[in-house]
Amino acid sequence: MLSMGIVGLPNVGKSTLFNSLIKKRKAPAMNYPFCTIKPNVGVVEVFDERFFKLAEMSRARSVVPAAIEFVDIAGLAKNASKGEGLGNQFLADIREVDAILEVVRFFEDGEIMHVEGELDCERDREVVDLELALADLEVVSKRLDKAYRAARAGDKDEKKIFDILGRVKISLEKGDLASEAGLNDDEKFAVKSLSLLTLKPILCVANVSEEQFRTGSWKKMTDHPERYLPICAKIEEELIDLDRDDSKKYLESINAGDSGLDRLIKESYRTLDLIAFFTVGEEETKAWKIRNGTKASEAAGEIHSDFERGFIRAEVINWKVLLEAGSELAAVERGLIKGEGRDYIVRDGDCITFKFNV
């Protein structure tokens, strides 16, 4: 399951946002630094209208939407990379997630203390990024020493690692992220075991007030508004006890559009280059998330390794075409389902039945 770590300085609204995302008041949200100590974990269903229409059509006995795991991690203080605050614990927790959701405080509130004394959005984001980069620099430096010794002994694989990490170190020493070192996919895979924090996808959320959200005035507080996804955690908190229909009515009443969760999930999929395909049947209708560009045989392996190992073909139909047909049987009779080979690139919204033989 995809996991995203919610990080940021203390008192920026991480736990309030986390509670809103999982629709529960699970994590404490109080006005003092390091209110969250141990990570809080919650699983959120991905609302995909396409999927639920397919589930309704199929009358499936089991309906399994895609899901994302959100992890609310302790606030990050300046010098966390040196062990200050909850430094080492924080950094160990964040290495386990697939992507980072960096929350930056934009809202003004005199009753909620700011750990740095005053609000400065860009400074706050830079503090978090710098601490992540410094933590990575320590990991990279240690691994470089090992790679250097092995490379001198003639190990060609370690020579490649040494060259890759050398570029990463240069980037980190400049205060940049590892993701800015220009690594290709093969090079990223080569150093994947290091779980570098700044090589993970990072999505920045601007936690704004309701007024800032409505007027867009939060954009004036940064020279780079394009870096941020604006979410009002307080608005999201109002939705905790409402079902989807009532939430929609409430959001319409304040001209807020989609919920922050829906926008966040869409942006997370875009950031991580994920798409969805569906398996549709009376027994079970299920949504699956995969990387864009995944082949049919690899998508089959997401369901079960036997499906990939014994892959014969994929029977594919677009979700909308299947809905218009009214059923899989009707789609078959009309010749709307196409057989595709193992190298077929799965498209977003494909409904697939895999044929295999083991």
Side-chain angles (χ1 to χ4, degrees):
M1 180 184 297
L2 173 69
S3 62
M4 300 193 73
I6 303 176
V7 306
L9 296 178
N11 285 356
V12 299
K14 300 185 307 301
S15 294
T16 300
L17 179 61
F18 172 82
N19 290 335
S20 304
L21 291 174
I22 66 170
K23 299 292 184 181
K24 295 178 183 177
R25 288 184 171 87
K26 178 179 178 180
M30 302 176 187
N31 180 21
Y32 56 87
F34 308 116
C35 173
T36 299
I37 298 177
K38 293 183 179 179
N40 294 290
V41 180
V43 177
V44 177
E45 291 184 352
V46 175
F47 182 80
D48 188 328
E49 190 173 12
R50 304 171 301 176
F51 169 74
F52 287 104
K53 286 182 177 180
L54 290 168
E56 184 178 3
M57 180 203 72
S58 66
R59 298 179 181 177
R61 283 182 279 276
S62 174
V63 177
V64 185
I68 296 179
E69 180 182 79
F70 287 98
V71 184
D72 178 27
I73 298 173
L76 179 64
K78 185 183 290 187
N79 296 322
S81 58
K82 299 178 182 178
E84 293 193 15
L86 296 173
N88 293 331
Q89 177 178 321
F90 170 94
L91 297 170
D93 292 334
I94 196 175
R95 289 198 188 279
E96 303 302 317
V97 303
D98 298 308
I100 295 173
L101 187 62
E102 190 173 318
V103 180
V104 180
R105 176 175 167 178
F106 276 64
F107 67 89
E108 298 274 6
D109 191 328
E111 295 183 1
I112 300 179
M113 64 180 291
H114 192 290
V115 71
E116 293 293 330
E118 60 181 3
L119 186 63
D120 185 328
C121 311
E122 289 304 312
R123 178 207 59 205
D124 293 352
R125 185 186 61 79
E126 289 171 2
V127 167
V128 174
D129 287 348
L130 179 60
E131 292 304 319
L132 299 181
L134 290 173
D136 277 350
L137 184 58
E138 182 178 356
V139 172
V140 167
S141 296
K142 289 180 179 178
R143 184 65 179 87
L144 264 173
D145 289 340
K146 179 182 177 182
Y148 175 72
R149 292 192 299 270
R152 289 197 65 183
D155 190 320
K156 294 182 180 180
D157 290 335
E158 286 294 297
K159 175 62 166 62
K160 292 179 182 178
I161 296 293
F162 179 78
D163 292 340
I164 295 169
L165 292 182
R167 289 156 52 199
V168 172
K169 185 178 182 182
I170 291 173
S171 182
L172 294 172
E173 287 178 334
K174 292 192 299 182
D176 294 334
L177 308 181
S179 58
E180 298 174 279
L183 304 188
N184 60 37
D185 289 342
D186 289 339
E187 291 169 333
K188 290 177 183 177
F189 184 79
V191 297
K192 184 178 180 180
S193 62
L194 296 181
S195 297
L196 296 179
L197 303 172
T198 62
L199 201 54
K200 297 177 185 290
I202 297 178
L203 176 58
C204 291
V205 166
N207 187 9
V208 301
S209 69
E210 188 172 337
E211 180 181 357
Q212 287 174 320
F213 184 79
R214 287 175 173 172
T215 63
S217 59
W218 64 272
K219 296 179 182 179
K220 299 176 182 178
M221 300 176 67
T222 173
D223 293 331
H224 302 283
E226 72 282 356
R227 292 177 177 173
Y228 298 93
L229 176 68
I231 292 181
C232 176
K234 285 297 182 182
I235 291 178
E236 300 305 310
E237 197 171 34
E238 294 294 326
L239 305 179
I240 288 178
D241 298 319
L242 302 180
D243 61 24
R244 180 160 285 275
D245 288 339
D246 288 339
S247 294
K248 186 176 181 180
K249 291 177 183 178
Y250 174 76
L251 291 169
E252 288 175 350
S253 73
I254 61 174
N255 298 316
D258 292 336
S259 72
L261 173 59
D262 289 342
R263 289 185 290 111
L264 177 57
I265 288 175
K266 288 177 184 177
E267 190 64 19
S268 298
Y269 269 55
R270 188 195 66 78
T271 300
L272 296 167
D273 200 22
L274 296 175
I275 62 171
F277 76 91
F278 312 110
T279 50
V280 182
E282 292 182 2
E283 284 295 324
E284 180 183 75
T285 293
K286 187 169 183 176
W288 305 84
K289 56 183 177 296
I290 54 174
R291 300 285 180 184
N292 191 18
T294 297
K295 296 179 180 179
S297 58
E298 296 168 337
E302 291 292 316
I303 299 175
H304 197 286
S305 58
D306 285 348
F307 283 30
E308 182 173 9
R309 185 158 53 91
F311 182 92
I312 297 175
R313 69 178 181 277
E315 296 181 347
V316 183
I317 182 172
N318 174 266
W319 72 276
K320 197 170 186 178
V321 175
L322 178 56
L323 278 178
E324 290 171 350
S327 69
E328 185 178 3
L329 179 60
V332 170
E333 292 174 345
R334 293 167 58 183
L336 299 175
I337 298 179
K338 298 180 180 180
E340 302 287 357
R342 64 186 309 108
D343 292 332
Y344 168 77
I345 303 299
V346 177
R347 298 174 181 174
D348 187 39
D350 277 347
C351 298
I352 308 177
T353 299
F354 294 103
K355 300 298 182 180
F356 69 102
N357 183 24
V358 177

